[in-house]
Each structure stands twice: as C-alpha cells, then as structure tokens.
Amino acid sequence: MKNRIINKKYFAGLLSLTLIASSCSDDALDRVNRNRNNPEDVYAKFILPDVMTATAFSVAAGDNSLYSSIYVEHEAGVHNQTFNAETRTGEPTLATTNNNAWNAIYQNIKSAKFAIQKTSEGGIEAGNAVTNGIAKVLLAYNLAVATDLFGDTPYSETGIMTPDGLPMYMQPKIEKQSDLYVEVNKLLDEAIAGLAGSDAGVSGAIGAQDLIYGGSKTAWTKAAYGLKARYLMHTLRISANRNGDLADILEYIDNSFTSTEEEMKFAHYNGVSAVNPLFGYSNARDGIGASKSLVTKFSEFKDPRGGQFGLWNARGSAVDPISLAKALEEAAPNGSPDQVQYTYPISFTGYAYTAPTMLLSYHELLFLKAEALARLGKTVEAKTALDEAIVVAFANLERSVNAGVEYIASAAPDIDLSEASAKAYIKSSVDARFKENALKEIMVQKYLAFAGASGESTETFNDIRRMKALGEDFIVLANPLNATQFPLRFPYGNSDVSANQAVKAAYGNGQYVYSEPVWWAGGTR
C-alpha cells in the first residue's frame, strides 16, 4: 500500500505542472546580462503550449472548477478556504479567493494576443494561418471564462505591450459582457476561417507543440464550433430569437465532435511531473468531502455512479470503499460541515491523478444537443442524444475512478460503469423521469455527469445560473445559505482590485457577488 499523505513525489509533480511547456530555470548567472523588458523573440508555436497547459490546469480546472464544485454541491468544502466557501465565510466575496485563476486568465490572454499578432498579416510569422486560428480559439476560451465568471471585465486594453515589453495600459478599462461575447464569437468565427488555411509562414507548422490536437486543423475547427454552441446556449435568457438560436446550436454541434476521440481535452498528466488539478488539491490539502446533496441524488435515483465513494482509515493512510448507504450517512452536510480533514467520505475521482481535463467534452455536446432538441419540442431526438450522453459520461467517470483507485485505494469500489450498466440505469431510472419532464431530466443528468475530476464543475456553475435566470429550478441545492448567499459570480482578482481603480470601484466590498447576476443571466454587468 502506498503512503497516501502528501506524497512528495506527486506534490513535486503538481508544482512542476505549470512549467510543463516552458524551460526549467537556467543557472542564475546566465540571466545576469539579460534585459527582462526585451526578451528574446519566440515563435508563436512555442508560446501556445504554455497557454494550452495553463488554460487546462488553471482556467478550465484548478481553482475555478474547485470553487464552482462547492457552490453547485458536487463537493463539500471541509477545510480552510474551501470550508470558508462552503459556509460562505469570506471566501465567496474576497478578492484573494480567485486571484490565482484571474492572473492565469490574463496571462493567457496576453500570450494568445502576442501569438495572434505574430501570425497575422504584417507579423513576422504572417502566413501561419493554422497557428493563428488555434491562438484565437484559446483566446476566445480564456475570455469567455473570464466574463462568464467575473461579468464585465477588462479585455481590449489587456495584454498590449510597448516595444520595451511593458504594459501599454496600466489600468485597462472594464468592458460590458454583452460586448465581450461579441468578441468571443468573432474570434471563433475568425479561427474557423483561418483554420481552413495552412501554416506557410517562416516558422512552419505547429505540429507536436500543439498539446491538445497535435496540429490537426480539423480538430480545432470542430472544437471552435462546439464552443460556439456552448456560448450561444449561455445567452438563451436574453435571446431575441430563442428558437433560431437553438437551431444554430444544433448546427454548430453537427459541425463539431462525433466521438470522444475528438473532444477538446488536456491529457498530459502522467502522475509524476504533471498531475490532474483536483488530485493536486486533494493530495496536498484534503479540503473537500463527499457532498450530501450529490450523494442524496445518486441514492434517490438508484444511480450506479453512487458507488464511487470511500472512507478514510488510519487518518489518511488509505481509503476503503463504502456502500452508497454508508456514503449518504457519512457525507458532509452542505453549508454546515465540521472543519476536519481525513474524516468525511471522498470520491475516488479526487485522487484521479492522471485523469484529463476537459475543455470541451463530447458528452457536453450531447447534453447541449439534447437540451436544444427538448426546448424545440423534439423529445424523441432529445432522448436519443441524452441516452448517448449518459453512456459517454459513465465511461468518462470510469476512467477517473480507475485512476483514483490506482493511486489511493486499498481495494476497488463496487461500481459498474459499463455501457450495459448505463443503459440499465437509463431504462430503470431515467426513462420515467424523462417522460414526466424531459428538459429537467436532461439538465439533472448533465449535472450528475459533470461531477468529478474532469474540471467540468465550472460549466455546471454556468448552467445553474442560467437556469435560475430562466426560472428553471431543476437542480435542487441543499445549502440553506443559498437563500441569501448563492454566489452569482466570482469576485474580481486582488491583483487588479489593488492596482486598477476601475476594477476596485466595481469590486466595492465584494458583496455584489450575491446580488448581481451577469448579463446573460439577466443582470446589467
């Protein structure tokens, strides 16, 4: 049995992940005469691997998904910052809470803009249309996460550098989310057009430097279409032509993934030099426990995914599988857990050290397809899409559970996530609820599928907020503090609250996160 407490080997891997796509530090003497304001030039294709890594680890997953998982009750926060978030004690409103993710987003925006500049007409790598298109997809992704989580936020004046390598705008202006969404879609449309070309510039094709698709312009094009579907669905509450937008969503999906082989994921966690972000947090902090809200849903639905939980023994030395009934009995109560470690049950996915981060999964597209069809009244087609989504989601969870078992368990949990098990669950549990309320069941199943190590709780946070705006209370959350303190957004990052007067004024005392929804959820900022 391995030692399960802060294994130094894996903790070192966590710390090194952010350096996966960049050089390790050279000897200090090699940097003595370097002008840091005028770094050596770097081709765009060598900039983008770091953007891809940081987008996966720090933006799609990382703190964004961790805090989202607590707010949507995929997990329960039971220690330190996550406990504070669970109990709404400071953390949901503090500017320091999401500062690391805020900084990562804006570093990615700067780097992606630089890559786009270099590969655009007039740039030194003009003609590298595919690399340019990839950079635009990554820029759109990071901008969308920024505005989805923070609302109105700086963009056009960020990441613009002077010839001396200094920021051109020291206090970039805040821009409206409605305008930022126009920019997101413009970037994706430009990316799709550019990806039809080739990398004919001086630096050549991106090739293996592309850590997501290995330079496949077809795959990136499909990802761009899938993202357009996601972001258009976000705006359904404020749509002027809802049925037209739903039809467009279905068209985008038809141009996107057709299997899990094509999904937009970061699959470079080897468990040593690079680890899954949820594993990194769980292994180092043990700050989350099984959410009673989530376990209750698995129990009520007789969902086989409820078999994924285990209970600590010997104070953190290992986790032994437990029954769903035991997990329900021992799970952390949402909103009022004890602040303890190595006590509450955990999901084996918390230790899925090699599970990939999903930037956009195939099962997400299938759930979006099912939702769009259901909203258009096409329930037969919606059911077909939902059934496939559940089967694919079971397989994704199985991969994560197996990775967690490999690392932490003294015995494997009694859980069957095969296609046959998924179909049996659909027949025995899902079908009846779908007949009663097709749209509700689709959203409930999407909610259940997004729990885990894939980094998809952030998108669940978006779903919960947009459903609230539509008056659709499909997902029952148990935290009693939600009556007055459900976070409707994330607070701005402290680095800009401290340095940018516009951001400081918008932040105020941070309490706005409980009262002001973002634009696409019916708010004004």
Side-chain angles (χ1 to χ4, degrees):
M1 183 189 305
K2 298 178 183 176
N3 186 345
R4 311 302 178 183
I5 307 175
I6 317 295
N7 186 305
K8 293 181 179 179
K9 171 181 164 185
Y10 294 101
F11 189 56
L14 170 65
L15 295 178
S16 68
L17 178 64
T18 56
L19 304 178
I20 189 175
S22 61
S23 171
C24 295
S25 59
D26 298 323
D27 189 276
L29 292 177
D30 292 336
R31 298 195 297 263
V32 169
N33 294 317
R34 181 179 299 172
N35 183 345
R36 296 184 181 182
N37 290 331
N38 288 280
E40 296 177 9
D41 204 7
V42 179
Y43 284 141
K45 67 181 182 181
F46 297 120
I47 295 171
L48 294 182
D50 187 62
V51 178
M52 295 175 195
T53 302
T55 298
F57 188 82
S58 301
V59 178
D63 284 352
N64 287 333
S65 185
L66 176 64
Y67 283 103
S68 293
S69 74
I70 293 166
Y71 302 148
V72 304
E73 300 176 5
H74 281 161
E75 307 284 357
V78 299
H79 191 256
N80 212 338
Q81 293 100 326
T82 49
F83 173 81
N84 293 342
E86 179 71 45
T87 58
R88 309 296 194 258
T89 308
E91 228 62 39
T93 63
L94 293 177
T96 54
T97 302
N98 303 102
N99 191 56
N100 289 340
W102 171 273
N103 289 339
I105 289 169
Y106 282 99
Q107 178 60 49
N108 288 339
I109 287 174
K110 181 180 77 171
S111 297
K113 283 185 176 182
F114 191 36
I116 291 168
Q117 177 189 2
K118 293 167 76 66
T119 53
S120 295
E121 185 176 352
I124 64 171
E125 297 177 64
N128 280 352
V130 173
T131 301
N132 182 276
I134 293 171
K136 284 179 176 176
V137 174
L138 292 168
L139 179 56
Y141 192 101
N142 280 273
L143 174 57
V145 173
T147 191
D148 284 340
L149 294 180
F150 301 102
D152 294 357
T153 195
Y155 170 68
S156 64
E157 294 181 349
T158 64
I160 309 298
M161 312 304 288
T162 70
D164 293 328
L166 297 172
M168 183 173 292
Y169 301 96
M170 299 303 293
Q171 296 200 351
K173 65 182 179 182
I174 290 178
E175 293 161 86
K176 303 297 293 181
Q177 186 180 67
S178 54
D179 295 330
L180 296 177
Y181 253 66
V182 171
E183 179 66 15
V184 167
N185 283 286
K186 176 174 176 286
L187 286 166
L188 291 172
D189 287 339
E190 290 176 354
I192 290 168
L195 287 163
S198 63
D199 272 340
V202 62
S203 60
I206 187 171
Q209 301 303 319
D210 175 2
L211 301 179
I212 295 177
Y213 286 127
S216 170
K217 63 182 185 179
T218 300
W220 278 104
T221 300
K222 290 186 175 188
Y225 275 114
L227 291 173
K228 283 178 67 67
R230 172 197 280 180
Y231 301 138
L232 187 54
M233 189 67 87
H234 285 181
T235 65
L236 204 60
R237 160 67 172 74
I238 43 85
S239 172
N241 181 5
R242 191 170 295 183
N243 283 355
D245 284 347
L246 291 169
D248 285 344
I249 288 168
L250 291 172
E251 181 180 348
Y252 297 149
I253 293 171
D254 285 343
N255 285 301
S256 191
F257 310 146
T258 58
S259 73
T260 57
E261 302 303 315
E262 298 176 326
E263 55 197 1
M264 188 182 183
K265 60 178 176 282
F266 187 86
H268 294 275
Y269 304 127
N270 59 20
V272 182
S273 61
V275 295
N276 175 279
L278 184 62
F279 165 86
Y281 178 80
S282 296
N283 191 49
R285 305 284 187 87
D286 191 58
I288 53 175
S291 159
K292 189 173 286 290
S293 173
L294 179 66
V295 179
T296 297
K297 292 175 177 63
F298 285 138
S299 179
E300 290 178 347
F301 298 159
K302 296 180 172 57
D303 191 324
R305 287 171 290 191
Q308 65 184 276
F309 298 98
L311 195 63
W312 291 102
N313 67 34
R315 188 146 184 87
S317 64
V319 172
D320 289 328
I322 56 175
S323 67
L324 177 57
K326 181 68 172 177
L328 181 61
E329 178 185 346
E330 299 288 340
N334 302 91
S336 58
D338 294 328
Q339 185 167 195
V340 292
Q341 293 176 288
Y342 308 111
T343 301
Y344 290 112
I346 62 165
S347 166
F348 285 100
T349 63
Y351 282 79
Y353 65 146
T354 57
T357 292
M358 296 291 179
L359 284 81
L360 179 66
S361 65
Y362 181 48
H363 53 265
E364 178 179 346
L365 284 190
L366 290 169
F367 282 119
L368 286 171
K369 182 177 182 178
E371 178 185 351
L373 288 166
R375 290 187 184 279
L376 288 169
K378 300 179 179 182
T379 54
V380 174
E381 296 96 325
K383 184 59 164 56
T384 299
L386 174 61
D387 289 357
E388 186 178 0
I390 293 172
V391 171
V392 174
F394 266 50
N396 183 61
L397 178 62
E398 182 176 41
R399 174 173 51 193
S400 294
V401 169
N402 287 343
V405 168
E406 179 183 328
Y407 180 76
I408 198 171
S410 55
D414 182 15
I415 182 171
D416 180 1
L417 297 170
S418 64
E419 181 177 349
S421 176
K423 289 182 176 180
Y425 166 66
I426 291 168
K427 184 176 181 180
S428 65
S429 185
V430 174
D431 283 355
R433 291 192 303 274
F434 183 88
K435 289 179 182 178
E436 183 178 340
N437 189 327
L439 182 59
K440 178 179 179 180
E441 186 61 15
I442 289 165
M443 300 312 297
V444 167
Q445 290 304 318
K446 185 180 181 184
Y447 169 88
L448 297 174
F450 278 15
S454 297
E456 296 183 291
S457 290
T458 306
E459 194 55 32
T460 299
F461 184 52
N462 292 330
D463 281 346
I464 295 288
R465 292 181 295 153
R466 69 181 177 86
M467 283 189 287
K468 283 180 176 291
L470 289 164
E472 298 168 346
D473 297 323
F474 294 152
I475 309 299
V476 178
L477 299 179
N479 190 331
L481 300 171
N482 286 337
T484 57
Q485 292 180 306
F486 180 79
L488 301 173
R489 60 172 76 220
F490 285 3
Y492 294 115
N494 187 58
S495 57
D496 279 280
V497 170
S498 300
N500 187 324
Q501 291 302 309
V503 176
K504 180 179 180 180
Y507 171 77
N509 63 7
Q511 294 299 310
Y512 70 101
V513 304
Y514 294 135
S515 60
E516 298 189 33
V518 299
W519 162 75
W520 51 248
T524 58
R525 63 170 181 130

